[in-house]
Amino acid sequence: MKQILKAGFFLKIILPALLAITLFVLTVFVFIIPAFERNAINQKKNMLHELTNTAWSILQKYQTDEKNGLFTRDEAQKKAISEIEALRYGSDTKDYFWITDMTPVMIMHPYVQELTGKPLKEFADPDGKRIFLEARSIVMEHEEGFMNYKWQFMDQPGIIVPKLSFVKKFEPWNWIVGTGIYIDDVENEISQLTNHLLLILTGIILIISLMIFYITFQSLKIENERTAAEMLLHESREKYKSLIESSTEGIILLLNSKISYANAFIQKWLKYNSDELERIDINKLFTPGQDINFENIKKENRVEVRLNKKDGTPTFAILTALPVKFADKEGVLLTFRDTSEHQTIKQEREYLKSQISTIFKHSRTGYFRFSLKGDKKIVEFNQSIVKMLGYKSENELKKIKLPDLFENINQLKILLSNLKKQKALVNQKIRLRKYDQTIIENKISLFIVEAPAGNNIYCDGIIEPPSANKLNNNLHPAIQELILSLSQETQSANRLSTRTSADDALAPLTKSKDQRENDTHKTNKDAGTGKHANSLEFIREKIKNCQNTRELADIRSILPQLVKPMLSQTGSISTITEMTSGLNDLITYRIIENCIKEHGTPPVPFTFFVYGSAGRHELVFNSDQDNAIIYDNNDPEKEDEIHHYFVALGKEINRQLHTSGLVLCSGNYMAGNPKWCQSLTIWQDYFADWIVNAEPENILNFSVMFDFRHVYGKEALFEKLQNYVHEILDGRTAFFYLLAKQVTMFKPPLNVFGNITTDTIDGQPDSIDLKKCISPIAMFARIYALRNKIQLNRTAQRLQALKEMGVLSVETAEQAQFHFNFLMQLRFKQQITKIENNEKPGNALQIKNLNEIEQHILKKVFSQMNSYSEKISAEFMSAYRD
């Protein structure tokens, strides 16, 4: 406590508090109260001016009547006096008007009637001010003006209070008309305000005193906690250092392209000590010809490299380079995994393969090599296969392509499909077609070999003679061992793999219902139930042939397994969203076709369109339905009948989409809602109303609907609506202002210290809402696309177009694209994790599930997202406000 209660504490805590209180007091009594008083007096002056003008207009009216001969001057003046004398205003209707001439002599005073007709030169208030002489001076010099004096309070002669009056000259009759109000109420208001502010000031001083006491008490506690935290941090650093030093991978940290740190593993591996590595050029660790520019590492890169040890001997590694920020400096973290043993085995295996090839050329067993790409052309073979297949010469066999040798082309496709997965196949039964078209049964073994040149991939095939029962009947033992080891090696690698490939994800679709329920083993026969089992083309074909929504739901259920490997294989989220949205379009198309079969031919042409995330090709696993129908109706008499048909059709489409896995929209923005199932004319009216009558509710409807995209039906109808919307958007400043306001409402979840702020979302504590974080990026791209007439839907496409047009700078566009990709990847990852854990996917992301690097990037993204609001506000909102 003694450390805290010293001069430094007084200067840092107490003195600023006292200065703040002093400044507050000065501000109140020097600026706020005088300003309030001036404002109150000005309001009363404005009122007096307007009231006097009213009385003056009565004089003007009767002077005009006199001029027009309706009254004599005496009659006109009497009527004017009578009317003005009756005028009252104020809270008690006791405030009045009076009239004098320029002598001055009192013409009329409603309360002090004994003054009427008497000269007023000597009339003065208690302070000696000659009131009516001053009034005459004011109107003679300025025609009108204000004056302050003291007067009896209304009709109570014994009470004298301050009064403010306004006088104005009526030139035709040489009169002065005036009125005044008592300003003692202003003084009362100032007094009350002062008392309130003093109470507030007293409260503030009390609160600050309590805060100073609390801060004093807490400071010691915080100091103790800080000391303990420093000890824990030191311990954590030591543990982290021990972890790095004990790693079985080499680690190097580059700062400014120079080695700043190297762990013990790589020092021992390359036989350098720490000082030597920090002095050496990083490129000298690599063998010549490996051009790696570490200054341009912008994202994670992985590549096989060959390193030089200190003694000159080579070694092989897989290098992972990751950009990092260390002590506010841009750097690159290099991780080296030793693959020398793998390379040695690989070289030995390649040597053995070449020996096998030589052996096979002179073996009784048929041997051939063919290309796995293109037309499967046979590029090499031995004499045994020429004789086995009954060809007269090698030239005749050279003209043959591999599919021509098989009795059943599907059997070859099944073999090649399994070969891509397993890399090697042993003793597979086949039926081959000989030169004379007779069929023979054989066994074939296949294994993939490295491409000797170019980008092609080749496969070696070994065919047993028809009389052989087993592979080892005619093969050299070393050859059989190699083929079996290749197969076992591939199968083992597949078992150890922690990633699910897209092909594996498609496997359930290639099986029958019984096979899916009893999936205890796999055979080559089972793998061949679909000719496109290993490609997205197979899914497309499967969707086209689906007869019910249950089958479509099965297809939709495997999408997470398709997406998972793609997250780590692609640098852009567009590939993934294009796939998910594209398959959803196919499912929707198929459902609409089935529904039309049930409901009958549509009475008029129509179009079914989607909007929102589906309209932008940005569907995720918790997206719901956003769709609508436009129909073409030129017959008003049949409107009810046509509308009834399409509403019923829309409801059935919505129901089947829900059954297939795309849930209903909670806000009922769907084609089955009669409001969103309308003719083209009504849709045009909708958008015109939303744009022209720019109100918050209309802006919301427009924001939901605008990212719209045709899916089924007559596209010309959709294009008419789309073109109409872009036409009426021209020059709608108020509309763009409100649309921009939506973007500026987003505040990134960061506190003043730059740390991520979290909340409980969907029952998950310490989370952020990824949908709300992504939304401003989509809105940012949308508003610029609208203003610049860019008719593209995808956020990435809009940003690219805006960059190419020069609307957005390269830095801004690429930054927004990075933000979008990063947040969407996080969204897909957390949703896939939820699905794998049999939980419902949502938008909540718990920060604790991110690693340190991801959290760092997320903070950076949020800190940069403030620039959207600043740019939007400057370009769309400031001009409108001005």
Side-chain angles (χ1 to χ4, degrees):
M1 184 66 76
K2 290 180 180 179
Q3 271 187 325
I4 299 173
L5 298 175
K6 59 184 182 180
F9 178 74
F10 176 81
L11 292 174
K12 292 179 180 177
I13 304 296
I14 298 178
L15 184 59
L18 293 175
L19 288 174
I21 293 171
T22 303
L23 287 173
F24 177 74
V25 173
L26 289 174
T27 301
V28 168
F29 288 97
V30 176
F31 297 104
I32 295 177
I33 293 177
F36 179 83
E37 184 174 7
R38 286 194 300 271
N39 185 56
I41 294 296
N42 287 335
Q43 287 182 358
K44 291 183 180 295
K45 284 184 175 182
N46 290 335
M47 181 184 72
L48 288 175
H49 185 274
E50 295 302 322
L51 289 170
T52 304
N53 282 339
T54 300
W56 191 90
S57 66
I58 293 173
L59 295 176
Q60 187 181 40
K61 172 184 177 300
Y62 284 105
Q63 192 271 334
T64 303
D65 289 344
E66 174 202 344
K67 188 176 179 180
N68 293 332
L70 297 176
F71 303 109
T72 64
R73 171 165 291 196
D74 186 54
E75 290 174 336
Q77 289 179 340
K78 285 180 180 179
K79 286 183 178 293
I81 290 170
S82 176
E83 191 168 333
I84 293 173
E85 185 177 13
L87 291 178
R88 295 290 185 274
Y89 63 93
S91 58
D92 296 324
T93 63
K94 289 186 177 182
D95 291 318
Y96 57 92
F97 295 88
W98 47 265
I99 302 172
T100 70
D101 61 15
M102 295 296 290
T103 306
V105 170
M106 181 63 71
I107 303 298
M108 182 276 295
H109 193 292
Y111 289 133
V112 191
Q113 296 180 355
E114 59 269 22
L115 291 177
T116 303
K118 293 183 179 180
L120 303 171
K121 288 183 180 180
E122 301 302 323
F123 194 89
D125 70 358
D127 293 334
K129 178 181 285 188
R130 300 176 186 274
I131 302 170
F132 298 102
L133 286 177
E134 183 175 344
R136 184 182 67 177
S137 299
I138 290 171
V139 299
M140 288 178 66
E141 185 175 354
H142 302 291
E143 295 292 331
E144 62 183 20
F146 293 95
M147 62 180 184
N148 291 288
Y149 56 96
K150 291 182 178 178
W151 193 261
Q152 73 176 43
F153 184 71
M154 297 188 183
D155 54 357
Q156 303 178 42
I159 302 176
I160 305 297
V161 294
K163 193 167 186 179
L164 173 67
S165 287
F166 181 77
V167 293
K168 186 171 183 178
K169 182 180 180 182
F170 186 67
E171 185 68 31
W173 293 347
N174 214 24
W175 282 4
I176 300 172
V177 61
T179 187
I181 56 174
Y182 304 99
I183 57 175
D184 61 316
D185 58 335
V186 175
E187 294 176 353
N188 292 334
E189 289 177 11
I190 297 298
S191 177
Q192 290 177 6
L193 176 63
T194 303
N195 292 334
H196 282 123
L197 290 175
L198 286 173
L199 286 173
I200 293 171
L201 181 60
T202 303
I204 290 173
I205 292 173
L206 180 61
I207 291 170
I208 291 176
S209 300
L210 291 173
M211 289 175 63
I212 291 173
F213 175 78
Y214 178 77
I215 291 170
T216 303
F217 177 77
Q218 290 292 320
S219 294
L220 182 59
K221 182 180 177 182
I222 292 171
E223 179 65 22
N224 292 336
E225 290 177 350
R226 185 185 66 81
T227 303
E230 285 183 349
M231 293 177 64
L232 288 173
L233 180 61
H234 177 73
E235 183 181 346
S236 177
R237 285 174 177 170
E238 290 300 317
K239 288 181 180 179
Y240 182 71
K241 185 177 180 181
S242 300
L243 181 64
I244 293 294
E245 292 299 329
S246 62
S247 173
T248 57
E249 293 183 349
I251 297 173
I252 289 177
L253 176 64
L254 293 182
L255 295 177
N256 297 326
S257 299
K258 293 182 180 179
I259 298 176
S260 176
Y261 169 80
N263 71 342
F265 180 87
I266 201 163
Q267 293 177 36
K268 183 179 179 181
W269 181 16
L270 301 182
K271 300 179 181 178
Y272 287 96
N273 61 38
S274 177
D275 293 336
E276 288 172 334
L277 281 173
E278 289 180 8
R279 290 195 301 268
I280 198 172
D281 182 356
I282 182 65
N283 291 307
K284 290 186 178 179
L285 296 179
F286 299 88
T287 57
Q290 299 179 95
D291 298 326
I292 303 176
N293 188 352
F294 293 108
E295 293 182 356
N296 291 328
I297 299 293
K298 303 299 182 185
K299 60 181 180 179
E300 181 177 340
N301 287 274
R302 186 172 296 174
V303 63
E304 291 187 8
V305 295
R306 184 172 178 175
L307 303 174
N308 288 327
K309 296 182 180 180
K310 185 177 178 181
D311 59 9
T313 58
T315 185
F316 298 91
I318 293 178
L319 166 63
T320 301
L322 181 70
V324 295
K325 198 168 186 178
F326 184 81
D328 292 330
K329 293 181 180 178
E330 300 292 338
V332 180
L333 185 66
L334 307 179
T335 305
F336 299 87
R337 180 178 296 176
D338 187 1
T339 59
S340 301
E341 184 178 354
H342 172 74
Q343 289 292 335
T344 302
I345 294 173
K346 185 177 178 181
Q347 290 173 356
E348 290 177 353
R349 188 175 67 178
E350 290 305 313
Y351 172 75
L352 186 55
K353 284 181 182 179
S354 66
Q355 296 301 309
I356 291 172
S357 178
T358 302
I359 293 171
F360 271 131
K361 286 180 180 178
H362 304 89
S363 171
R364 288 180 299 157
T365 300
Y367 162 80
F368 63 97
R369 175 171 288 183
F370 64 94
S371 168
L372 276 175
K373 292 188 176 182
D375 57 6
K376 310 294 186 296
K377 184 177 181 181
I378 299 175
V379 296
E380 190 177 344
F381 51 86
N382 64 357
Q383 282 293 327
S384 295
I385 200 167
V386 176
K387 295 177 182 178
M388 189 184 303
L389 298 176
Y391 283 83
K392 297 178 181 179
S393 67
E394 293 182 7
N395 289 334
E396 289 179 342
L397 187 56
K398 285 179 181 179
K399 300 176 183 177
I400 300 299
K401 298 174 183 176
L402 187 65
D404 299 331
L405 297 180
F406 281 75
E407 179 191 28
N408 186 343
I409 188 65
N410 284 333
Q411 187 179 33
L412 174 61
K413 290 182 178 180
I414 294 168
L415 284 173
L416 297 182
S417 172
N418 292 332
L419 181 64
K420 288 179 182 178
K421 294 179 181 179
Q422 302 179 23
K423 308 302 180 186
L425 298 174
V426 179
N427 288 342
Q428 305 295 306
K429 289 183 179 180
I430 58 170
R431 290 172 60 84
L432 296 177
R433 189 185 304 278
K434 295 179 65 175
Y435 177 76
D436 61 4
Q437 301 302 308
T438 58
I439 304 300
I440 58 172
E441 289 190 358
N442 297 75
K443 288 184 179 180
I444 190 171
S445 296
L446 300 169
F447 56 93
I448 295 175
V449 298
E450 298 294 329
N455 295 321
N456 213 336
I457 301 175
Y458 293 92
C459 177
D460 282 352
I462 302 168
I463 300 179
E464 297 183 41
S467 60
N469 293 320
K470 293 184 179 179
L471 178 65
N472 59 8
N473 284 354
N474 293 294
L475 294 183
H476 189 279
I479 298 171
Q480 181 190 1
E481 182 180 351
L482 173 66
I483 296 171
L484 291 174
S485 67
L486 285 172
S487 176
Q488 292 167 359
E489 175 188 324
T490 304
Q491 292 169 0
S492 176
N494 288 341
R495 286 196 300 272
L496 294 174
S497 173
T498 59
R499 293 182 179 177
T500 303
S501 69
D503 289 343
D504 294 334
L506 295 177
L509 296 179
T510 67
K511 302 186 179 77
S512 66
K513 180 179 179 181
D514 293 337
Q515 287 171 320
R516 288 200 300 270
E517 294 174 350
N518 303 285
D519 192 13
T520 57
H521 67 278
K522 294 181 179 180
T523 64
N524 292 329
K525 181 178 180 180
D526 293 333
T529 57
K531 65 178 182 178
H532 299 297
N534 298 306
S535 68
L536 288 173
E537 184 60 34
F538 173 76
I539 293 187
R540 297 186 182 99
E541 291 298 322
K542 191 78 175 177
I543 291 172
K544 291 177 183 177
N545 296 322
C546 282
Q547 298 301 316
N548 58 66
T549 51
R550 184 67 264 165
E551 293 178 3
L552 293 173
D554 289 342
I555 293 174
R556 201 187 288 275
S557 68
I558 65 150
L559 289 181
Q561 299 175 58
L562 286 171
V563 169
K564 184 177 181 180
M566 295 174 69
L567 285 171
S568 59
Q569 295 169 3
T570 177
S572 172
I573 206 70
S574 298
T575 306
I576 296 172
T577 54
E578 183 69 26
M579 181 193 75
T580 57
S581 297
L583 292 179
N584 182 68
D585 286 355
L586 286 174
I587 291 172
T588 304
Y589 197 98
R590 184 59 182 159
I591 284 175
I592 295 173
E593 286 185 329
N594 291 342
C595 290
I596 290 176
K597 287 180 182 178
E598 295 174 12
H599 284 258
T601 305
V604 293
F606 78 102
T607 182
F608 185 92
F609 67 93
V610 295
Y611 44 88
S613 58
R616 295 191 302 273
H617 290 272
E618 291 164 11
L619 275 180
V620 290
F621 297 125
N622 69 328
S623 294
D624 57 7
Q625 294 185 46
D626 291 309
N627 47 57
I629 286 176
I630 308 171
Y631 55 84
D632 189 7
N633 181 25
N634 295 319
D635 188 351
E637 293 182 359
K638 295 184 178 180
E639 172 61 28
D640 290 344
E641 177 186 344
I642 294 171
H643 187 246
H644 177 77
Y645 170 88
F646 283 112
V647 169
L649 179 66
K651 286 181 178 179
E652 182 60 21
I653 293 170
N654 294 150
R655 186 192 68 78
Q656 291 196 25
L657 281 172
H658 179 77
T659 305
S660 78
L662 189 64
V663 299
L664 298 172
C665 172
S666 58
N668 205 15
Y669 281 88
M670 296 181 294
N673 184 341
K675 183 175 181 180
W676 309 124
C677 178
Q678 296 289 351
S679 66
L680 175 62
T681 304
I682 293 178
W683 273 108
Q684 289 174 337
D685 291 342
Y686 280 168
F687 276 96
D689 180 51
W690 297 338
I691 294 170
V692 176
N693 301 318
E695 298 175 356
E697 183 180 354
N698 288 342
I699 293 297
L700 175 62
N701 283 328
F702 183 90
S703 298
V704 171
M705 289 283 186
F706 177 73
D707 292 330
F708 54 153
R709 179 171 59 82
H710 172 266
V711 172
Y712 183 95
K714 187 177 180 181
E715 193 166 4
L717 272 175
F718 177 81
E719 290 174 350
K720 284 182 181 179
L721 178 61
Q722 189 178 43
N723 293 334
Y724 175 80
V725 171
H726 280 277
E727 285 175 9
I728 62 174
L729 274 172
D730 232 0
R732 301 293 178 182
T733 310
F735 170 81
F736 280 106
Y737 172 83
L738 289 175
L739 201 60
K741 196 172 182 180
Q742 282 193 319
V743 184
T744 59
M745 288 172 65
F746 172 77
K747 303 299 179 187
L750 291 177
N751 60 23
V752 293
F753 302 106
N755 296 321
I756 298 173
T757 59
T758 59
D759 202 350
T760 299
I761 301 171
D762 297 335
Q764 299 183 57
D766 301 323
S767 300
I768 60 173
D769 191 324
L770 283 172
K771 181 178 180 180
K772 290 183 178 178
C773 296
I774 294 169
S775 180
I777 307 174
M779 291 193 293
F780 176 77
R782 179 199 300 143
I783 191 171
Y784 277 101
L786 282 173
R787 190 173 71 173
N788 292 278
K789 303 184 185 306
I790 297 173
Q791 294 192 19
L792 297 173
N793 296 92
R794 300 171 181 83
T795 298
Q797 287 180 332
R798 288 170 172 172
L799 290 171
Q800 181 65 26
L802 291 166
K803 179 175 73 173
E804 292 173 357
M805 292 172 64
V807 175
L808 297 181
S809 66
V810 174
E811 180 183 2
T812 299
E814 291 182 352
Q815 180 175 274
Q817 183 65 70
F818 173 77
H819 295 169
F820 181 75
N821 280 350
F822 179 72
L823 293 174
M824 282 292 286
Q825 283 192 339
L826 290 182
R827 194 178 183 191
F828 271 115
K829 284 180 181 178
Q830 69 90 10
Q831 289 189 353
I832 289 173
T833 301
K834 289 285 185 184
I835 292 169
E836 289 177 341
N837 294 331
N838 294 319
E839 298 177 22
K840 184 179 178 180
N843 299 311
L845 171 67
Q846 290 186 293
I847 300 300
K848 67 180 182 181
N849 294 333
L850 300 179
N851 59 41
E852 188 175 350
I853 293 174
E854 288 174 328
Q855 289 188 35
H856 174 77
I857 295 173
L858 188 59
K859 289 180 184 178
K860 192 73 173 177
V861 167
F862 285 154
S863 67
Q864 293 172 344
M865 285 179 70
N866 280 317
S867 62
Y868 301 149
S869 296
E870 294 168 2
K871 186 173 179 62
I872 289 286
S873 181
E875 295 193 27
F876 290 89
M877 300 179 71
S878 58
Y880 183 77
R881 287 196 297 265
D882 294 343

